[in-house]
């Protein structure tokens, strides 16, 4: 056994996944720092605006199949329906390739619909080129996670891609060459393509491990399942990207850039939630299929406690950095400090409720999650439209945190009523209450 294999065996999957996401967040933070100083608020605003629109385009490019595979494959493998599992993989791959190409062509031909600003339009046009490899990368991650290889699914996106982007930007800056939003997006395209190629061997091994020819006897059911997953993912995307898009449409590129720096801290605070969801999803789907509710409750509790402790650990340095954001990123980004504090500490409070959306989706309640996330997304859009005009970046932050709080409350009540599991672990953590 190699040293790497021994080290990997010593760490649990949660720790490995969280470590990968922390690394990606650190690289992303370093990239944000570099780009903030090299591009300035306006060009950086164009860059984050294009990436936010890309996240919306992924909705049409994947039809939710990258999430559907996560919850559909485990029950099929448990039931030893390998042919049907292989059919899901093959069908999802064809759908994603066709839709991502079509979406990229349509969006790239109509960039004027997204912004009246020339730099913004140019950034969006190049962002469309990222769509196909991004969609395929998401599907690869979903398939590997559904087949019980979550760490292998995370490595290309969380380790290879951010490392390449950061390295190229650093080398470019050291050479003293001019840098703008378009050139950074082209670097991102190259890194995504490279991670897709380097991640192919692990995907190939996992698919070969299914060991069966594909069966396509349930295309209608798979399509419906993909659409249901799309509704959840769409609402989550709206919650995560609407604020930047609305700022880009209703405010200035500078204000969009300021919020782009602040939201980076919000994404960092989301890492424990994402790691908990990845750790929980495949296990919860399998235990639910087996009908083992006691074991399911134990897995949920373990994921929640890890999420809380990780969120608090990330909040402390984030708070310190918020007070020096102007010195770190440049004077133009100084207003982001107060916005960062609002976003960070809201995430800490929500961490005490674990990741109820992933639990419900993994236990065949994706429809309920879709409804609540759709309502939260609608609330988020409305609040952004109302608050961005008078309050700018702070208005976007308030809209986002209020929407996330409402969503968490609804999902928590649903977990208790549908599964009989309490997902508030504040008292448990400090020893003031009994076992939930």
């Amino acid at each position: 056994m190699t040293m790497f294999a021994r080290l990997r065996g010593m760490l649990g999957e949660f720790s490995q996944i969280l470590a990968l996401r922390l690394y990606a967040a650190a690289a992303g933070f370093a990239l944000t720092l570099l780009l903030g100083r090299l591009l300035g608020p306006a060009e950086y605003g164009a860059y984050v605006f294009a990436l936010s629109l890309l996240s919306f385009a992924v909705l049409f490019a994947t039809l939710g199949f990258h999430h559907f595979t996560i919850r559909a494959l485990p029950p099929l493998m448990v039931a030893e329906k390998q042919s049907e599992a292989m059919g899901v993989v093959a069908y999802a791959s064809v759908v994603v390739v066709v839709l991502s190409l079509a979406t990229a062509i349509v969006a790239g031909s109509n960039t004027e619909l997204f912004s009246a600003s020339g730099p913004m339009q140019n950034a969006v046009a190049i962002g469309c080129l990222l769509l196909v490899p991004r969609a395929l990368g998401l599907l690869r991650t979903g398939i590997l996670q559904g087949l019980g290889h979550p760490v292998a699914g995370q490595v290309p996106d969380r380790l290879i891609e951010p490392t390449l982007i950061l390295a190229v930007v650093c080398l470019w800056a050291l050479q003293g060459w001019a840098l703008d939003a378009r050139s950074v997006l082209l670097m991102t395209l190259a890194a995504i393509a490279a991670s897709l190629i380097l991640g192919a061997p692990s995907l190939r091994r996992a698919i070969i491990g299914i060991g069966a020819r594909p069966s396509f006897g349930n295309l209608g059911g798979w399509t419906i399942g993909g659409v249901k997953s799309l509704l959840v993912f769409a609402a989550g995307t709206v919650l995560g990207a609407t604020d930047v898009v609305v700022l880009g449409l209703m405010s200035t590129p500078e204000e969009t850039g300021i919020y782009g720096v602040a939201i980076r801290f919000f994404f960092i605070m989301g890492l424990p939630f994402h790691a908990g969801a990845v750790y929980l999803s495949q296990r919860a789907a399998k235990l639910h299929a087996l009908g083992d509710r006691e074991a399911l409750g134990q897995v949920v509790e373990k994921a929640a406690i890890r999420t809380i402790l990780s969120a608090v650990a990330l909040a402390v340095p984030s708070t310190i950095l918020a007070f020096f954001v102007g010195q770190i990123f440049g004077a133009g980004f100084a207003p982001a400090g107060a916005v960062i504090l609002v976003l960070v500490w809201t995430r800490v409070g929500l961490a005490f409720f674990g990741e109820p959306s992933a639990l419900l989706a993994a236990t065949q309640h994706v429809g309920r999650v879709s409804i609540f996330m759709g309502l939260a997304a609608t609330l988020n859009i409305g609040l952004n439209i109302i608050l961005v005009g008078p309050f700018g970046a702070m208005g976007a932050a308030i809209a986002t945190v209020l929407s996330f709080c409402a969503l968490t409350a609804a999902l928590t009540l649903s977990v208790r009523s549908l599964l009989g599991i309490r997902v508030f672990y504040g008292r448990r953590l400090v020893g003031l209450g009994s076992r939930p």
Side-chain angles (χ1 to χ4, degrees):
M1 182 181 293
T2 65
M3 181 180 296
F4 176 75
R6 288 196 296 269
L7 178 61
R8 188 175 59 182
M10 293 171 60
L11 300 173
E13 283 187 350
F14 180 93
S15 299
Q16 293 179 60
I17 294 165
L18 182 59
L20 285 170
R21 289 181 173 269
L22 284 172
Y23 174 80
F29 185 85
L31 183 63
T32 300
L33 174 58
L34 282 173
L35 294 181
R37 288 194 166 274
L38 295 172
L39 299 179
E43 280 291 324
Y44 185 72
Y47 169 73
V48 296
F49 180 68
L51 291 183
S52 296
L53 287 178
L54 175 65
S55 66
F56 281 107
V58 166
L59 302 177
F60 303 98
T62 61
L63 200 66
F65 272 98
H66 61 306
H67 280 286
F68 174 69
T69 52
I70 296 174
R71 63 184 181 85
L73 290 175
L76 292 175
M77 298 302 290
V78 168
E80 298 184 352
K81 297 181 179 179
Q82 282 84 355
S83 294
E84 192 171 346
M86 191 65 185
V88 170
V89 172
Y91 181 59
S93 300
V94 172
V95 169
V96 169
V97 169
V98 172
L99 290 181
S100 60
L101 284 171
T103 305
I105 293 171
V106 172
S109 302
N110 297 276
T111 57
E112 69 279 358
L113 297 178
F114 302 106
S115 177
S117 167
M120 288 280 207
Q121 289 182 15
N122 292 334
V124 171
I126 297 177
C128 291
L129 299 176
L130 279 66
L131 182 57
V132 175
R134 174 64 76 200
L136 291 174
L138 289 171
L139 180 61
R140 176 210 57 229
T141 300
I143 292 172
L144 285 171
Q145 186 173 332
L147 292 175
H149 305 284
V151 177
Q154 300 285 316
V155 167
D157 292 342
R158 307 297 174 181
L159 179 61
I160 297 173
E161 181 184 321
T163 300
L164 291 176
I165 297 173
L166 185 59
V168 174
V169 170
C170 288
L171 290 173
W172 195 281
L174 289 174
Q175 294 296 323
W177 296 333
L179 197 66
D180 58 15
R182 292 175 298 175
S183 59
V184 178
L185 287 168
L186 287 173
M187 296 173 193
T188 304
L189 172 61
I192 294 174
S195 68
L196 191 64
I197 294 171
L198 294 173
S202 59
L203 176 62
R204 179 176 177 273
R205 288 192 296 269
I207 293 175
I208 291 176
I210 298 176
R213 292 181 177 273
S215 172
F216 300 100
N218 193 24
L219 294 181
W222 298 341
T223 303
I224 293 172
V227 171
K228 287 182 178 179
S229 297
L230 170 64
L231 295 176
V232 176
F233 182 62
T237 300
V238 170
L239 284 171
T242 294
D243 38 17
V244 176
V245 173
V246 173
L247 277 167
L249 295 174
M250 297 181 60
S251 188
T252 63
E254 289 80 5
E255 193 75 14
T256 306
I258 289 170
Y259 190 76
V261 166
I263 201 66
R264 172 61 62 182
F265 288 81
F266 192 67
F267 292 155
I268 291 174
M269 291 300 302
L271 294 177
F273 295 86
H274 297 313
V278 173
Y279 172 85
L280 182 66
S281 295
Q282 196 262 351
R283 288 173 171 80
K286 182 179 292 185
L287 292 171
H288 183 71
L290 295 172
D292 193 343
R293 177 166 293 187
E294 181 179 355
L296 176 61
Q298 293 173 356
V299 169
V300 171
E301 178 179 336
K302 186 179 294 186
I305 297 300
R306 284 169 166 77
T307 300
I308 297 167
L309 295 175
S310 302
V312 173
L314 289 173
V316 174
S318 296
T319 300
I320 295 172
L321 291 174
F323 289 101
F324 299 96
V325 67
Q327 292 90 330
I328 297 171
F329 292 92
F333 292 98
V339 180
I340 291 170
L341 294 176
V342 171
L343 294 172
V344 164
W345 286 100
T346 298
R347 277 288 205 186
V348 173
L350 296 180
F352 284 85
F353 298 88
E355 186 47 70
S357 61
L359 175 60
L360 288 170
T363 54
Q364 306 301 316
H365 296 100
V366 68
R368 179 69 65 95
V369 178
S370 301
I371 292 172
F372 285 132
M373 293 195 74
L375 292 173
T378 302
L379 175 64
N380 191 35
I381 293 172
L383 290 174
N384 268 285
I385 292 174
I386 294 171
L387 298 174
V388 160
F391 301 109
M394 180 58 78
I398 294 172
T400 295
V401 300
L402 289 177
S403 302
F404 270 85
C405 288
L407 174 63
T408 300
L411 293 174
T412 298
L413 293 175
S414 294
V415 169
R416 183 62 186 272
S417 64
L418 294 173
L419 301 176
I421 297 175
R422 293 180 60 184
V423 292
F424 177 73
Y425 293 98
R427 293 185 176 183
R428 167 74 173 164
L429 192 67
V430 299
L432 297 178
S434 61
R435 182 182 180 85

